[in-house]
């Protein structure tokens, strides 16, 4: 076992991205996956009906069209069709109103009333430099940005909206909730500098490249990544648990697409004490409790335009969201936590068959929560969409405490691969110049527990692979990722 040039443990989006880079560099690559299906957070499954596919983890993919890795890999040209909803995300309010983030920035501003102009001023400069903003946030965060003006503009806004200063910028309940709902994707205390950065990153993309869904389900992304790896000689070993690094001793380089816990378990006493101590102290954030519904009709939202949205945030006003997320981050269970809901067939009609369609939902709960989320999430949706319960054909819930058995990287249900705090976002998983390289020769970490952190962007795998290519194989220029390109290196080579 492990006789290839490169062994990759875990086949989530970052493990697959690392394998694409390594295989295209002309190296022999083997991937090892503990489950019988590849994809990690990109897996889809048939749960209740043979014709209806559910996304078991990630469903909506702003980063799969925006990140540097996926821009170069070009999923669309490989047959992945992204479906864009008219409204990227919506936020129903307790009084029956709703705030809507249309793809069209002007349509959004026109419906925000007094917050329309502040929203335009906040988003327009970010949209003008969108690729630079994305590349700044999705970087190793160890060097000065290329676009200093764009970086300063982004940092200034993140400072404002990641602190109490942001309270003076938006004055309506709709505008405040619309931004705070995106900040809650950080799954932690609000407000915070990290959540402010996430709010601006995802918020501006809602009016740019969008919050799309892959037609047919998230597994389509994993399928085309795997096809490219196989086309360049890579091989997959599923149902194969790697719990001892020595199982892979024949490989020159090993990349772990795992949480720090997984690397600790596999490397054990081989790791230097100080580095192992950092990994053992790595903090995980709140958990996600997941619910999958099979329904017979679109969600009957009280505010009809919410039904145009690909993603819906249920959390109430800004003050309510901040209180609930902060308590959840402190380990306190709240009766009405923040919930994200997706009705995929709103954007992708192919997901509905014979009057049946999937509904995807997450609730933010304390890490290791054993709460069965089905009744709570159903009631939460029902509050904003009376009659939803009557449309349910079947449902299943995954407790946060059980999510780790589905994906070992989701420690305690933490789908972000670690608490999203400012310090840990920059120094994850340990304070090192190269965050991907471990003290063990040829051993790298490439999961969401390394910069830039959570999301289906492939950048942790891409950046870890680039580091390993330079240090272990002397390859300083990345191979082309473009479809149809040869696996030969562009100018530079071995």
């Amino acid at each position: 076992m492990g006789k290839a040039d490169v062994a990759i443990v875990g086949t989530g989006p970052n493990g697959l991205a690392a394998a694409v880079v390594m295989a295209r560099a002309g190296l022999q690559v083997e991937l090892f996956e503990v489950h019988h299906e590849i994809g990690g957070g990109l897996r889809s499954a048939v749960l209740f009906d043979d014709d209806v596919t559910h996304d078991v983890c990630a469903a909506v993919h702003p980063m799969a069209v925006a990140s540097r890795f996926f821009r170069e890999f070009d999923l669309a040209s490989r047959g992945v069709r992204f479906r864009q909803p008219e409204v990227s995300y919506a936020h129903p309010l307790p009084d029956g109103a709703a705030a809507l983030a249309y793809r069209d920035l002007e349509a959004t501003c026109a419906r925000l009333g007094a917050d329309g102009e502040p929203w335009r001023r906040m988003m327009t400069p970010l949209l003008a430099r969108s690729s630079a903003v994305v590349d700044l946030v999705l970087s190793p965060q160890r060097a000065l940005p290329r676009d200093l003006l764009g970086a300063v503009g982004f940092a200034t806004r993140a400072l404002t909206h990641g602190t109490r200063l942001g309270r003076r910028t938006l004055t309506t309940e709709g505008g405040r909730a619309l931004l705070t709902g995106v900040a809650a994707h950080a799954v932690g205390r609000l407000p915070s500098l990290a959540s402010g950065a996430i709010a601006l990153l995802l918020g501006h993309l809602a009016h740019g490249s969008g919050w799309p869904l892959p037609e047919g389900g998230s597994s389509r992304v994993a399928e085309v990544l795997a096809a490219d790896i196989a086309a360049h000689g890579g091989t997959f070993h599923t149902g194969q648990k790697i719990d001892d690094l020595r199982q892979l001793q024949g490989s020159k380089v090993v990349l772990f697409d795992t949480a720090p816990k997984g690397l600790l378990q596999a490397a054990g006493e081989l790791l230097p004490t100080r580095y192992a101590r950092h990994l053992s102290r790595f903090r995980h954030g709140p958990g996600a409790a997941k619910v999958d519904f099979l329904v017979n009709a679109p969600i009957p939202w009280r505010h009809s335009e919410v039904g145009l949205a690909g993603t819906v945030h249920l959390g109430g006003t800004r003050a309510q969201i901040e209180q609930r997320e902060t308590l959840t981050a402190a380990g306190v269970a709240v009766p009405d936590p923040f919930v994200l809901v997706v009705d995929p067939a709103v954007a992708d009609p192919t997901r509905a068959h014979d009057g049946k369609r999937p509904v995807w939902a997450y609730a933010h709960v304390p890490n290791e929560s054993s709460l069965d989320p089905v009744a709570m999430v159903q009631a939460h949706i029902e509050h904003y969409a009376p009659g939803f319960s009557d449309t349910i054909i079947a449902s299943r819930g995954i407790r946060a405490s059980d999510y780790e058995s589905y994906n070992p990287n989701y420690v305690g249900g933490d789908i972000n691969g670690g608490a999203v705090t400012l310090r840990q976002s920059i120094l994850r998983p340990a304070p090192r110049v190269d965050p991907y390289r471990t003290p063990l020769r040829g051993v790298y970490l490439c999961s969401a527990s390394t910069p830039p952190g959570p999301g289906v962007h492939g950048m942790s795998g891409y950046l870890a692979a680039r580091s390993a290519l330079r240090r272990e194989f002397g390859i300083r220029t990345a191979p082309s990722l473009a479809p149809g390109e040869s696996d030969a290196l562009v100018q530079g080579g071995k």
Side-chain angles (χ1 to χ4, degrees), residues 30 76-77 137 208 219 277 288 320 324 367 393 415 425 452 455 486:
E30 289 185 308
S77 71
V137 180
S219 61
R277 187 183 302 119
Q320 290 171 326
R324 291 164 181 166
N367 194 278
I393 301 169
I415 60 174
S425 294
S486 164

Side-chain angles (χ1 to χ4, degrees), residues 43 72 111 137 239 242 315 359 386 436 462-463:
R43 278 179 282 178
E72 294 182 13
R111 289 164 173 79
V137 180
I242 302 298
V359 168
Y436 314 102
Y462 173 82
L463 294 166

Side-chain angles (χ1 to χ4, degrees), residues 9-332:
V9 181
T11 62
N14 287 307
L16 294 173
V20 166
V21 174
M22 291 297 203
R24 280 177 163 256
L27 301 172
Q28 186 182 3
V29 178
E30 289 185 308
L31 297 95
F32 298 86
E33 171 58 53
V34 66
H35 290 282
H36 292 287
E37 304 85 27
I38 68 164
L42 288 172
R43 278 179 282 178
S44 302
V46 171
L47 300 179
F48 313 109
D49 185 283
D50 289 343
D51 293 324
V52 179
T53 299
H54 297 257
D55 291 318
V56 186
C57 183
V60 182
H61 297 283
M63 294 303 164
V65 292
S67 81
R68 176 182 174 186
F69 172 77
F70 281 117
R71 291 198 310 263
E72 294 182 13
F73 190 73
D74 193 358
L75 288 165
S77 71
R78 298 170 185 270
V80 180
R81 183 178 182 185
F82 283 98
R83 296 283 196 155
Q84 294 278 6
E86 181 180 350
V87 176
S88 293
Y89 67 96
H91 195 115
L93 292 163
D95 63 1
L100 306 167
Y102 286 82
R103 283 287 305 285
D104 186 331
L105 176 61
E106 291 307 313
T108 304
C109 295
R111 289 164 173 79
L112 281 177
D115 279 338
E117 185 54 35
W119 194 271
R120 183 184 291 108
R121 289 197 302 268
M122 178 170 56
M123 296 299 179
T124 299
L126 301 178
L127 288 165
R129 286 183 160 84
S130 186
S131 292
V133 167
V134 171
D135 290 347
L136 168 68
V137 180
L138 301 186
S139 73
Q141 298 158 10
R142 296 294 192 277
L144 288 174
R146 295 179 180 179
D147 183 347
L148 285 174
L149 186 60
V152 170
F154 179 81
T156 301
R157 286 169 173 78
L159 178 63
T160 298
H161 296 288
T163 65
R164 303 289 176 181
L165 294 173
R167 297 190 180 283
R168 301 180 181 180
T169 305
L170 300 171
T171 59
T172 69
E173 285 294 355
R176 290 168 173 172
L178 199 63
L179 189 65
T180 308
V182 188
H185 283 243
V187 198
R189 178 180 60 83
L190 294 177
S192 69
L193 291 175
S195 70
I198 287 175
L200 293 171
L201 174 66
L202 295 178
H204 94 276
L205 289 177
H207 308 300
S209 53
W211 287 20
L213 292 82
E215 184 176 287
S218 294
S219 61
R220 286 287 299 125
V221 177
E223 288 167 6
V224 298
L225 289 167
D228 190 78
I229 294 164
H232 289 83
T235 57
F236 290 84
H237 305 279
T238 57
Q240 182 67 63
K241 185 176 182 180
I242 302 298
D243 52 14
D244 189 330
L245 181 59
R246 285 165 289 202
Q247 292 173 260
L248 305 173
Q249 61 185 354
S251 299
K252 183 173 183 179
V253 168
V254 179
L255 293 103
F256 280 84
D257 181 14
T258 68
K261 180 179 177 180
L263 177 58
L264 275 170
Q265 290 174 339
E269 70 281 0
L270 300 175
L271 290 169
T273 302
R274 184 177 180 183
Y275 184 76
R277 187 183 302 119
H278 280 300
L279 296 189
S280 66
R281 292 175 177 174
F282 186 78
R283 289 179 51 209
H284 283 280
K290 176 72 161 40
V291 183
D292 294 291
F293 296 102
L294 180 68
V295 301
N296 61 20
I299 299 174
W301 299 108
R302 179 182 287 114
H303 191 293
S304 60
E305 284 187 288
V306 174
L308 301 174
T311 302
V312 180
H313 298 148
L314 305 180
T317 65
R318 177 176 69 184
Q320 290 171 326
I321 300 168
E322 289 181 347
Q323 180 186 45
R324 291 164 181 166
E325 289 292 275
T326 298
L327 285 171
T328 300
V332 178

